[in-house]
């Protein structure tokens, strides 16, 4: 993040290595989706579940982070008009 002036913050991405361009392009695409569909909506719900448990389903986007003993879920509300 950088602050080009007193009223603006700017977020960007810079990658390294052989897949740097793909990584930064994906990151900027995700930021654009967030800006258009999630910025003014409720934030995600984050839960931790023991390995082997049934994971919650959602109509909204979900991220699963699988670890040795747990799975962390990050679930966003389904997109729609801001409330």
């Amino acid at each position: 993040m950088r602050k080009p002036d007193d009223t603006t913050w700017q977020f960007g991405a810079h990658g390294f290595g052989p897949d740097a361009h793909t990584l930064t392009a994906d990151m900027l695409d995700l930021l654009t989706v967030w800006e258009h569909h999630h910025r003014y909506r409720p934030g995600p719900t984050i839960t931790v579940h023991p390995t082997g448990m049934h994971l919650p389903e959602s109509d909204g986007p979900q991220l699963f982070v699988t670890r040795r003993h747990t799975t962390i879920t990050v679930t966003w509300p389904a997109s729609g008009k801001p409330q």
Side-chain angles (χ1 to χ4, degrees):
M1 290 192 67
R2 66 181 177 175
K3 191 173 181 180
D5 59 52
D6 289 339
T7 61
T8 306
W9 284 92
Q10 193 173 50
F11 191 90
H14 187 86
F16 299 92
D19 295 320
H21 177 76
T22 301
L23 174 65
T24 55
D26 288 350
M27 179 69 176
L28 294 174
D29 288 345
L30 288 170
L31 287 170
T32 301
V33 169
W34 172 80
E35 168 72 23
H36 293 290
H37 300 289
H38 301 286
R39 183 174 186 170
Y40 298 106
R41 297 189 52 81
T45 299
I46 301 170
T47 57
V48 179
H49 308 271
T51 298
M53 283 195 66
H54 177 73
L55 300 176
E57 295 181 18
S58 172
D59 291 335
Q62 274 190 308
L63 169 68
F64 297 99
V65 181
T66 304
R67 308 296 297 168
R68 182 175 173 191
H69 298 290
T70 61
T71 298
I72 302 165
T73 64
V74 182
T75 305
W76 286 265
S79 292
K81 293 182 181 178
Q83 299 177 17

